[in-house]
Amino acid sequence: MNTDNHTTDFGFNKVPLDEKVKKVKGVFDSVADNYDLMNDVMSLGVHRLWKRHAIALSGIRPGHKVLDLAGGTGDLTRAFAKRVGPNGQVVLADINENMVRVGRERLTDAGVVGNVDYTLANAEALTFPDNTFDLVTMSFGLRNVTNKDQALAEMARVLKPGGMAMILEFSKVSQPLMAKAYDFYSFSLLPKMGKWIAKDEDSYRYLAESIRMHPDQETLKQMMLDAGFDQADYLNMSQGIVALHRGWKY
C-alpha cells in the first residue's frame, strides 16, 4: 500500500506515482513476445485451466459485449469472441502497445476477425460510455495498476446494469507449507527462468514481487464493493495461488 500520496509500489520498491506506468510498460515491452511461453512455464500450464474456469463462469452469451482489460496476447479475447458470435463484440484493451500488437497478430493469424476490436487503454481512465459492457474482465493485470480503486470504479462504471466484472489474479496462499514452497519458487526459481527463457531476470523478479504486494482476497472484495459494485465474491483456485473475484452491478 502507499505510504504517502506521492509514491506507489513497484514490486518491493517505492517509486513516484507518475513513474509506475512507465516502469510497468518497460516490463511488458520486454516480455511481450515471450509472454505466453513464460506463462506456460511459470504455471506449468495451469494458467490455462484457471482461465478456462473463469470463462465457464462468465455467463457470456451470443450478442454480448465484453471488455477484456489488460487483454495482452488475447487468449481470453479469443474464447469470448467465439462465445459472443458475429452479433457480439469483444474489445481487447491494454495499456501496452506491444502487448496489443502481439494480441492482434495472434488472433488475426488464428482467423479471429470481425467481432474483435483493439485499443490502447488505461484501466484508470476508460474512454467508453457508462453502461456499455455485459462483462468486463481483467486477467493478471490489476496488480500492475497504479490506482486500483480508480480502475475498479471504472470497471463498474462501464458495466451495464445486470453486468459482471471478473478479476483473475494471483492472491494469498493461506496454507503455511504451500506458502513457503510458493515463496521459494517465486523468488529463487522464477527470476532464473525469466533469465533463461526470456533473457530478462529483472522483469520476472518484479512480477513475483508485484504478486506479494497485491491485496489479499478479502481486501480486494471490499475494494470492489467500495468502488461501486453492488455485490462481490471470490473463488480460490490452487489453494489461493490465484483467486477469481466477481463483482455485479444491479
Side-chain angles (χ1 to χ4, degrees):
M1 302 299 288
N2 293 355
T3 56
D4 56 51
N5 293 325
H6 306 288
T7 64
T8 189
D9 300 318
F10 181 74
F12 290 160
N13 299 311
K14 294 289 181 183
V15 298
L17 283 170
D18 58 357
E19 285 188 14
K20 179 166 182 178
V21 170
K22 294 185 218 176
K23 285 183 172 290
V24 170
K25 180 181 184 299
V27 168
F28 286 94
D29 278 344
S30 174
V31 305
D33 289 321
N34 291 295
Y35 187 71
D36 288 339
L37 172 61
M38 278 304 302
N39 276 346
D40 281 329
V41 174
M42 285 165 57
S43 70
L44 304 178
V46 179
H47 77 102
R48 297 178 183 273
L49 299 179
W50 295 330
K51 291 172 180 175
R52 189 179 303 165
H53 193 40
I55 292 164
L57 294 174
S58 68
I60 283 302
R61 301 190 302 274
H64 275 183
K65 294 186 68 174
V66 179
L67 174 61
D68 185 15
L69 285 172
T73 55
D75 46 358
L76 283 181
T77 293
R78 180 175 182 175
F80 287 130
K82 183 177 181 180
R83 288 189 173 227
V84 302
N87 295 321
Q89 179 191 33
V90 184
V91 179
L92 187 160
D94 202 294
I95 198 170
N96 184 280
E97 57 265 38
N98 279 343
M99 296 296 281
V100 173
R101 171 186 58 79
V102 172
R104 184 195 297 268
E105 288 173 355
R106 293 189 179 179
L107 293 184
T108 301
D109 289 346
V112 182
V113 295
N115 63 350
V116 176
D117 294 320
Y118 303 86
T119 187
L120 290 174
N122 184 336
E124 300 172 32
L126 298 175
T127 57
F128 306 104
D130 296 356
N131 309 318
T132 298
F133 296 98
D134 299 284
L135 175 71
V136 178
T137 67
M138 199 171 201
S139 178
F140 303 113
L142 185 61
R143 71 183 188 279
N144 299 307
V145 172
T146 302
N147 188 331
K148 296 176 178 62
D149 295 311
Q150 181 62 28
L152 292 170
E154 282 290 272
M155 293 171 77
R157 179 184 67 78
V158 301
L159 269 182
K160 295 178 181 178
M164 181 175 69
M166 297 197 314
I167 300 167
L168 187 65
E169 188 57 89
F170 291 104
S171 199
K172 183 174 178 60
V173 180
S174 58
Q175 208 281 334
L177 288 178
M178 171 71 84
K180 187 173 182 179
Y182 185 44
D183 280 345
F184 174 78
Y185 171 78
S186 298
F187 297 113
S188 297
L189 298 183
L190 179 57
K192 298 302 181 186
M193 293 162 65
K195 180 179 180 180
W196 296 332
I197 296 174
K199 307 297 187 280
D200 188 347
E201 184 173 355
D202 290 342
S203 290
Y204 283 90
R205 181 174 292 108
Y206 158 73
L207 292 174
E209 292 176 357
S210 70
I211 291 168
R212 298 311 187 276
M213 301 303 294
H214 186 66
D216 64 22
Q217 289 91 325
E218 285 291 336
T219 301
L220 181 53
K221 175 183 173 182
Q222 187 59 50
M223 288 171 65
M224 295 179 75
L225 295 171
D226 293 342
F229 289 95
D230 297 296
Q231 182 182 343
D233 70 8
Y234 63 86
L235 171 68
N236 281 330
M237 302 182 190
S238 301
Q239 298 192 25
I241 289 177
V242 162
L244 175 65
H245 280 76
R246 300 182 294 177
W248 291 268
K249 175 179 175 179
Y250 297 141

